[in-house]
Amino acid sequence: MTNEFLLSVESVDTFIGQFHILENVSVNVAKGSITVLLGRNGAGKTTTLKTVIGLTPPRSGRVIFDGEEIQGKRAFNIANLGIGYVPENRAIFRALTVLENLKLAERKKGDLDRHADMIFELFPDLERLSKLKGNQLSGGQQQMLAVARALVPDNKLLLIDEPSEGLAPILIQQMMEVIRKLKEKTTILLVEQNFIMASQLAERYVIIDDGRSVHRGLMSDLVLNEELIHQYLGASIQAPTRTSEAE
Amino acid sequence: MSHNNKKTLYTVIGVVAVAAIIFGLYSYAGQESFIRTVLSGLTLGSLFFLVAAGLTLIFGLMDVLNFAHGSMFMLGAYIGWQFYTNPTFIFGVLPLLLAFAAGILLVPLFKPKLVRLELSDVWQKRLPKLMYLAALIVGGIALWKFDVIGLADTAMVAAVTTSANPLAELSAQEPLLRFMWRPLLLMVSGALVAVGVSRPGDRTEITAPEPLKKRLILLIVLVILTIVFTLVRENASEAVLLMNGNLRFLLAIITATGFGFLLGALIEITMIRPLYVRSFFIVLMTLGLSYVLRELVQVLWDPLAYQMVRPPLFAQPGRANTIAEWLMNGSSTISIVGVTFPTYRLFVIALGFVMFIFVTVLMTRSRLGMVIRAGVQDPQMVEALGINVKSVFTLVFALGVALAALGGIGAAPFLPVQPGMGDQYQMQGFITVVIGGMGSYVGAFVGAIILGMARAFGDYFALKWQLSPTIAEASTVIIMIVVLLLRPQGLFGKKD
């Protein structure tokens, strides 16, 4: 049944140039839940998110969001249906102030005003720093801004790519809290290498390996299945927290 | 030393060096020559800025080097000059262009039905080609024996025999009954192109729900405009020529700038958009385009140089002592701290500064400016936020070309209007962008003023020391080399 899912990625194939990145990948995300994409570096998790938002459109297969086929549409059209994208590596706009970064994400006039209280409650730092340029923020603050930006318009679905990457342990805790709170009002498709964080947040998982979706199920089952974890995730659970990298 | 301290130190050294140069020039040249040369430099700098602003914005956002930018400057001058001297040509051609555009705008109306047609693969490929061929034939019939050269010549007659009354040349327009079918056929021709572009039968083509209503309104407006301009061809020219000269000049500026904007949008959509993935081809394409446009102008107006008459506000012999006096009498020169300077050049300086303020406000205060600054860094992410980046690219390209066209009409009353008039400014525009830093409009402004000053003082010293006048031209390249050696990213450029 498609109806119970807010997002269904149905056996998509995605190419970047002549490279076959995704092969027959299927991911379903139920409304009001968090689904996490797991897998090694370069397995195709980020490309899966980009395929949904339309930055790397699939060559075949279907992407159904909220009952509508969206594959092949331009990225801005897809985003405007109510999908927020938080890319990896904190791709905020460095030349814009924090406030401008948030303003830019408005789809209707007044989006930011309506959600400002909620956003600044989740990220009190950003209110204080609102006049600073993006390139004056620390790595953690940039990551917070990247997430905050996706909260400005009314999004039904958030695609969040590696929110914990390069964050200090204390900030990872904070980020987890934020995502947990977000779950109450929205649906999230998460990419997360930090297995501890992923296992505490997500209800369901999909393992992507070498461009294929090889395994899926309930997170509560996966944590008990050490063999599976070892086979597909390898070393990535060995290092649950990483320290902040120097810029 | 920390990064910030270093920056402050360099800024201080820079300011001191600039102050020393200014003081040195002032004491060497004496007050009168100094002020006159500075004003000349500002005039040139204004024009350089108008060219460079577009170049730098377009390069910064899209990584496109537009080698047709000088041609846009030249076309702006021609269109403005035509409108001011004798708009018969413009009003004669306008209905045809509007009609063709209206035909093309039928695409979104056709598209959803056409892509669902049952067509074999062979016909899918064949049909668009047949449509283009048909469009060409219909377009050819529409323009059969249309005396476009004769229309263009009307302005030439008026320009060459300055004493002749341009109103006497208005009869060049065809009678309405013979003209009428031309726009009609061109609309058909445009519609045929539209069918071809819609890719009939191509089911893989995704038809995103476009805001159809907006397109429909635009189409209706275009059709109405076509009809109106078909009917008023002769009367409109007459009305424009009977107008107050200053008002006519203002309208000429608006027409040339608007023309530049539309031409820019057209070029971006039809020629540059398909080539973004192969940016080197864009260089070749724009270079080729510049030759085509120059030849086109030579066919229409012959390879001659024209002098546009200065509007009355700048034309009366005599020297005004204050700005108020100038505005009242329309004096051709004004006294600035004892130096006599042409009022029209003062106007060009003002134009440059006003446009710099306009660009600054646009970039820092408007949403479009925010989108541009963000798009320079990461257009994909801007798109993922829900912003149509393609249309922003079109808008920025159109704005850049509009600024160049504005520079062209601004220069027309004191530079000879000729097919090669833009080359010089395109070259200086590129040098300006390199000096100021790719993608920085503030850099373009500062660079333009530096170059303007270098040219003006170069000319001054060449005259004084009896050197070859090319020393002034060389000086700008020398400045570029020095800047590249000391600060390869340009004065206001950012390091990658």
Side-chain angles (χ1 to χ4, degrees):
Chain A
M1 279 299 290
T2 333
N3 282 344
E4 59 191 277
F5 297 121
L6 180 64
L7 175 78
S8 301
V9 178
E10 296 177 359
S11 44
V12 296
D13 279 51
T14 299
F15 288 72
I16 296 179
Q18 49 185 327
F19 298 104
H20 200 162
I21 307 291
L22 298 185
E23 223 178 313
N24 200 14
V25 165
S26 298
V27 176
N28 290 319
V29 182
K31 212 170 225 161
S33 76
I34 297 183
T35 301
V36 66
L37 298 179
L38 298 170
R40 291 197 173 87
N41 277 330
K45 304 183 301 283
T46 294
T47 308
T48 307
L49 295 192
K50 284 189 170 175
T51 298
V52 172
I53 193 75
L55 291 176
T56 56
R59 201 173 278 186
S60 64
R62 301 199 303 168
V63 181
I64 296 162
F65 172 69
D66 213 6
E68 194 180 339
E69 281 193 34
I70 59 169
Q71 77 277 9
K73 284 192 181 183
R74 303 254 319 273
F76 80 95
N77 278 325
I78 295 176
N80 285 335
L81 295 174
I83 302 183
Y85 175 50
V86 182
E88 61 185 338
N89 302 326
R90 335 171 179 112
I92 56 144
F93 301 111
R94 294 188 293 271
L96 271 57
T97 64
V98 169
L99 202 60
E100 285 176 328
N101 263 286
L102 295 173
K103 272 249 171 222
L104 193 66
E106 283 190 331
R107 296 206 185 109
K108 295 194 297 280
K109 249 196 156 54
D111 271 349
L112 182 57
D113 289 339
R114 277 188 296 122
H115 295 143
D117 288 345
M118 179 263 290
I119 290 170
F120 291 138
E121 200 187 308
L122 287 175
F123 306 106
D125 278 2
L126 293 182
E127 186 165 27
R128 187 167 50 82
L129 303 167
S130 67
K131 288 202 166 57
L132 286 190
K133 288 246 169 94
N135 57 7
Q136 294 169 300
L137 301 183
S138 71
Q141 291 162 341
Q142 291 188 359
Q143 188 67 63
M144 302 289 169
L145 178 57
V147 175
R149 193 171 57 183
L151 306 180
V152 172
D154 295 300
N155 281 323
K156 296 176 200 153
L157 173 70
L158 297 180
L159 310 172
I160 306 182
D161 200 348
E162 303 244 17
S164 75
E165 194 188 15
L167 293 188
I170 183 161
L171 289 175
I172 293 185
Q173 282 302 322
Q174 200 184 332
M175 185 62 81
M176 272 176 68
E177 277 313 302
V178 166
I179 292 176
R180 198 169 279 143
K181 280 184 195 155
L182 290 179
K183 192 174 140 185
E184 288 161 18
K185 44 196 153 214
T186 184
T187 307
I188 298 172
L189 176 58
L190 185 71
V191 167
E192 185 49 70
Q193 294 256 14
N194 181 332
F195 187 74
I196 306 269
M197 178 167 169
S199 61
Q200 287 182 25
L201 285 173
E203 287 100 349
R204 306 188 68 90
Y205 70 92
V206 176
I207 295 178
I208 313 264
D209 191 56
D210 200 18
R212 294 181 188 82
S213 45
V214 290
H215 216 278
R216 70 196 67 235
L218 291 173
M219 203 71 213
S220 48
D221 295 337
L222 180 67
V223 288
L224 304 174
N225 192 339
E226 262 185 60
E227 193 188 338
L228 198 63
I229 295 175
H230 190 76
Q231 184 184 349
Y232 288 114
L233 308 177
S236 58
I237 52 163
Q238 303 302 325
T241 57
R242 274 162 289 158
T243 47
S244 184
E245 294 154 13
E247 294 268 312
Chain B
M1 209 180 322
S2 84
H3 179 70
N4 266 345
N5 283 341
K6 236 178 188 171
K7 213 171 157 186
T8 323
L9 183 70
Y10 285 153
T11 313
V12 169
I13 292 176
V15 169
V16 169
V18 168
I21 291 174
I22 291 175
F23 182 75
L25 289 171
Y26 181 85
S27 38
Y28 184 83
Q31 184 177 349
E32 200 193 323
S33 304
F34 179 77
I35 290 175
R36 178 173 294 128
T37 317
V38 164
L39 287 171
S40 302
L42 286 176
T43 313
L44 276 175
S46 273
L47 293 178
F48 292 161
F49 170 70
L50 289 174
V51 175
L55 280 178
T56 202
L57 284 180
I58 292 167
F59 182 83
L61 185 62
M62 304 165 230
D63 286 337
V64 166
L65 281 176
N66 180 17
F67 276 87
H69 216 68
S71 303
M72 308 297 161
F73 179 89
M74 178 267 292
L75 281 179
Y78 269 89
I79 294 295
W81 162 66
Q82 281 281 306
F83 188 92
Y84 185 76
T85 313
N86 187 341
T88 309
F89 171 79
I90 292 177
F91 284 115
V93 174
L94 191 61
L96 304 178
L97 297 179
L98 286 171
F100 191 70
I104 299 259
L105 271 183
L106 289 167
V107 179
L109 300 183
F110 286 153
K111 201 161 184 172
K113 291 235 168 63
L114 282 172
V115 289
R116 281 184 184 76
L117 279 181
E118 292 284 349
L119 287 177
S120 67
D121 284 359
V122 181
W123 275 99
Q124 268 188 39
K125 284 200 185 109
R126 208 176 276 169
L127 197 62
K129 284 179 191 158
L130 281 177
M131 286 297 152
Y132 297 145
L133 186 67
L136 208 61
I137 294 170
V138 174
I141 296 171
L143 295 176
W144 186 253
K145 288 201 170 163
F146 180 63
D147 188 12
V148 66
I149 308 278
L151 272 182
D153 280 348
T154 55
M156 223 147 74
V157 174
V160 173
T161 56
T162 39
S163 60
N165 180 4
L167 287 177
E169 302 300 328
L170 287 176
S171 51
Q173 302 281 22
E174 269 181 310
L176 182 63
L177 278 176
R178 262 177 59 203
F179 180 82
M180 210 170 58
W181 49 272
R182 296 192 193 278
L184 268 175
L185 281 178
L186 275 173
M187 215 178 282
V188 174
S189 170
L192 287 169
V193 173
V195 174
V197 179
S198 303
R199 297 174 178 229
D202 185 356
R203 281 153 189 281
T204 60
E205 183 78 352
I206 282 95
T207 50
E210 305 264 359
L212 209 67
K213 208 170 155 193
K214 261 192 207 162
R215 303 278 178 116
L216 202 63
I217 291 171
L218 188 62
L219 177 68
I220 292 168
V221 168
L222 266 184
V223 171
I224 291 173
L225 279 179
T226 310
I227 295 169
V228 169
F229 277 106
T230 305
L231 295 176
V232 303
R233 281 173 309 148
E234 284 192 32
N235 300 345
S237 307
E238 204 176 315
V240 167
L241 284 176
L242 290 173
M243 230 174 245
N244 169 303
N246 293 325
L247 182 59
R248 185 150 44 108
F249 182 60
L250 184 67
L251 286 179
I253 290 180
I254 293 170
T255 307
T257 314
F259 169 82
F261 187 87
L262 294 177
L263 182 70
L266 182 75
I267 290 173
E268 200 276 342
I269 291 170
T270 57
M271 297 178 216
I272 296 185
R273 199 176 272 186
L275 295 177
Y276 277 121
V277 279
R278 298 187 181 86
S279 51
F280 180 65
F281 287 9
I282 296 181
V283 172
L284 294 180
M285 198 277 299
T286 54
L287 199 58
L289 184 66
S290 73
Y291 289 120
V292 170
L293 291 175
R294 175 194 290 220
E295 288 302 317
L296 188 70
V297 166
Q298 290 192 358
V299 167
L300 288 175
W301 291 291
D302 298 347
L304 300 171
Y306 302 95
Q307 190 58 59
M308 179 170 153
V309 183
R310 258 174 296 155
L313 185 60
F314 314 96
Q316 308 318 317
R319 191 177 69 164
N321 289 315
T322 60
I323 290 185
E325 198 181 320
W326 155 38
L327 293 177
M328 281 223 313
N329 301 335
S331 329
S332 63
T333 55
I334 187 168
S335 161
I336 299 168
V337 236
V339 178
T340 306
F341 193 72
T343 46
Y344 187 76
R345 297 192 178 208
L346 211 58
F347 169 74
V348 172
I349 295 175
L351 194 65
F353 276 77
V354 167
M355 289 329 284
F356 173 62
I357 293 168
F358 167 76
V359 173
T360 307
V361 170
L362 183 82
M363 291 296 285
T364 54
R365 294 270 180 277
S366 76
R367 184 167 168 88
L368 177 66
M370 223 153 71
V371 173
I372 295 172
R373 281 181 291 144
V376 166
Q377 181 198 327
D378 189 351
Q380 282 215 331
M381 191 55 224
V382 175
E383 176 108 10
L385 287 180
I387 295 161
N388 188 350
V389 171
K390 261 192 200 175
S391 70
V392 174
F393 278 17
T394 308
L395 198 56
V396 169
F397 197 88
L399 264 176
V401 171
L403 283 175
L406 176 63
I409 171 62
F414 74 98
L415 288 180
V417 178
Q418 54 177 6
M421 69 185 290
D423 300 359
Q424 170 83 289
Y425 286 84
Q426 173 167 313
M427 197 63 229
Q428 298 301 327
F430 275 125
I431 297 178
T432 302
V433 172
V434 171
I435 291 178
M438 298 275 197
S440 161
Y441 63 94
V442 181
F445 185 68
V446 174
I449 288 183
I450 293 176
L451 282 199
M453 291 302 165
R455 289 297 289 266
F457 278 98
D459 282 335
Y460 170 77
F461 285 117
L463 202 67
K464 185 150 189 169
W465 296 337
Q466 303 194 325
L467 299 169
S468 151
T470 41
I471 196 84
E473 281 172 46
S475 68
T476 62
V477 183
I478 294 168
I479 291 174
M480 178 174 79
I481 293 170
V482 171
V483 169
L484 281 179
L485 285 174
L486 295 177
R487 220 182 130 79
Q489 72 271 36
L491 295 177
F492 290 81
K494 291 192 180 68
K495 262 185 207 161
D496 278 336

